[in-house]
Amino acid sequence: MKKIMCLVMAVASVCLFGCSKKAESKESLRIAMVTDSGDITDQAFNQTTYQACKAYAEENHLDFKYYKPAGDSTADRIASVDAAYQDGYSVIVLPGFTFAEVIKSVASDYADAKFIGIDLGKGDFGDYVLPSNVYCASYAEELPGFFAGYAAIKEGYRHVGYLGGMAVPAVIRFGYGFIQGVNAAALNLGVADSVTIEYVYGGQFYGDQTITAAMDGWYKNRGVEVVFACGGGIWTSACEAAAKVNGKVIGVDIDQTALINGYGEGMHVTSALKGLGPTVKTVLSAIQAGEWDASYAGKIARLGLVSGTNLSVNYVGLPTDTWAMKNFTVDEYKALVNDVFTQKLTVSDVVTEMPITAVKINTYQNIK
């Protein structure tokens, strides 16, 4: 009897050990993130991606680390990816268009690692075909840009501005979507003759004294009421200028209500959102569930509206939890989303030429 009991315990022990090792293997993915030209305190794109990776790792008891390149070059970013791979990280998250060349350079060499490119579209890769260990998600930025522009006019503003970072496809789509939204609302209200858009790119993804001075000119001298600031940390310059004249600012990528209102109470109008966090969580969950090969391997997705009625599942939009607009209501916004989703209203994603509008547009050379 003792021999039988010992045998049973031994078998149980082996099974327990084997099962625990298998579970450990399932949960053993190690997640790394490499920042682009910004860092994890940019209160925008990098920070949102970092927080999403970190939160997922903590919730699932996984190892996570971020790497910041030594400089703003492809070589510096490749060095950080190399470091992450050599340190044993099996999933590497890369946010931003600057990682297209990095993926081209290293993805095939590190075939046993998985790369998640956030905000990287087909236009960033040219003829390059993604290997099976890479998945990239881009966004239909023209849609939240459209919603933001429409909201600004419906809220009552008639002189608006667009301050983009660098003239890359994502930033252009935000801007051209904004123009289309302003124009659509102006025509809907019959005020096209009294609406003006100022349009410029800063030439960089951060604010500084030069960018702020340009925005001072818009708010103080040209009478701009609200600026849609789109591109990394460049929004800080719009806020600094707006604070001097009680101006307004529209945020981007994440809900920037608290950040923008930190420069002046009530300064934030709305924000044009991209679902960076949900994208990260969805893809990491798929990797753990063994769904990479079927749904993500070698693919580039363009994420936008998933529903015309359930706003919570959409990857783009305006934040309703912090809604502070008074003349444009949440119900009106929901109706607008549904009109776009059902294609009653169409929003162009063309970036090669500016939309034709009934409203006046003043365009400027890059500030820097």
Side-chain angles (χ1 to χ4, degrees):
M1 181 62 72
K2 284 185 177 179
K3 289 183 178 180
I4 293 173
M5 289 299 295
C6 289
L7 180 61
V8 171
M9 290 177 67
V11 172
S13 177
V14 169
C15 180
L16 179 61
F17 177 76
C19 291
S20 67
K21 290 298 286 183
K22 185 175 181 181
E24 180 182 338
S25 175
K26 181 181 178 182
E27 297 183 354
S28 64
L29 69 147
R30 304 178 67 211
I31 305 165
M33 172 199 163
V34 180
T35 62
D36 66 358
S37 56
D39 59 37
I40 62 167
T41 61
D42 65 0
Q43 298 179 317
F45 200 89
N46 282 286
Q47 185 169 345
T48 303
T49 306
Y50 165 78
Q51 289 173 339
C53 291
K54 185 173 183 289
Y56 186 87
E58 290 176 349
E59 290 170 5
N60 292 275
H61 310 291
L62 303 174
D63 184 19
F64 167 68
K65 181 179 180 180
Y66 85 93
Y67 294 76
K68 181 179 179 179
D72 184 16
S73 72
T74 296
D76 290 319
R77 285 182 275 273
I78 288 175
S80 289
V81 172
D82 286 341
Y85 180 79
Q86 296 303 327
D87 288 344
Y89 287 92
S90 55
V91 178
I92 303 175
V93 181
L94 307 173
F97 74 97
T98 58
F99 284 103
E101 292 303 317
V102 176
I103 289 172
K104 289 183 190 180
S105 298
V106 305
S108 296
D109 294 334
Y110 299 153
D112 56 337
K114 291 180 174 62
F115 294 88
I116 302 173
I118 303 295
D119 211 28
L120 284 157
K122 291 181 180 179
D124 297 311
F125 291 102
D127 296 330
Y128 177 76
V129 177
L130 294 188
S132 61
N133 63 326
V134 179
Y135 168 77
C136 291
S138 62
Y139 299 88
E141 291 93 355
E142 69 278 2
L143 299 183
F146 177 88
F147 297 144
Y150 196 96
I153 301 306
K154 288 288 285 186
E155 186 63 7
Y157 303 108
R158 297 294 179 263
H159 198 164
V160 302
Y162 179 75
L163 169 64
M166 297 177 68
V168 298
V171 175
I172 297 173
R173 282 194 294 270
F174 264 129
Y176 287 4
F178 182 73
I179 289 173
Q180 293 175 74
V182 167
N183 189 66
L187 289 173
N188 179 268
L189 294 174
V191 296
D193 290 343
S194 60
V195 173
T196 300
I197 303 172
E198 311 289 345
Y199 196 100
V200 74
Y201 298 107
Q204 61 189 36
F205 286 119
Y206 56 91
D208 62 15
Q209 291 182 341
T210 303
I211 306 293
T212 301
M215 292 299 98
D216 283 336
W218 276 14
Y219 281 110
K220 291 181 179 180
N221 302 328
R222 301 194 67 85
V224 170
E225 299 165 282
V226 57
V227 170
F228 178 22
C230 174
I234 204 166
W235 61 274
T236 59
S237 279
C239 289
E240 289 170 0
K244 300 170 186 175
V245 293
N246 197 31
K248 306 294 183 179
V249 175
I250 294 172
V252 75
D253 289 338
I254 63 173
D255 184 355
Q256 292 189 308
T257 301
L259 297 172
I260 291 173
N261 283 345
Y263 285 81
E265 185 177 354
M267 182 183 292
H268 179 261
V269 175
T270 189
S271 291
L273 306 181
K274 292 197 290 191
L276 309 174
T279 303
V280 169
K281 182 176 181 179
T282 298
V283 181
L284 291 177
S285 297
I287 293 173
Q288 280 204 285
E291 299 170 355
W292 174 270
D293 290 339
S295 303
Y296 297 93
K299 296 181 179 180
I300 300 177
R302 191 155 189 266
L303 307 177
L305 297 180
V306 179
S307 171
T309 55
N310 183 4
L311 303 186
S312 66
V313 300
N314 290 329
Y315 284 95
V316 297
L318 304 181
T320 56
D321 290 344
T322 55
W323 197 273
M325 290 180 282
K326 296 178 174 57
N327 299 321
F328 184 47
T329 69
V330 173
D331 286 342
E332 289 175 318
Y333 166 60
K334 289 179 178 178
L336 179 66
V337 171
N338 193 54
D339 284 347
V340 173
F341 181 74
T342 59
Q343 297 187 332
K344 182 178 179 180
L345 288 174
T346 58
V347 184
S348 173
D349 63 354
V350 173
V351 296
T352 53
E353 56 183 346
M354 186 171 284
I356 297 173
T357 65
V359 303
K360 181 181 179 181
I361 304 176
N362 297 318
T363 60
Y364 305 86
Q365 292 185 339
N366 289 4
I367 297 172
K368 299 185 76 171

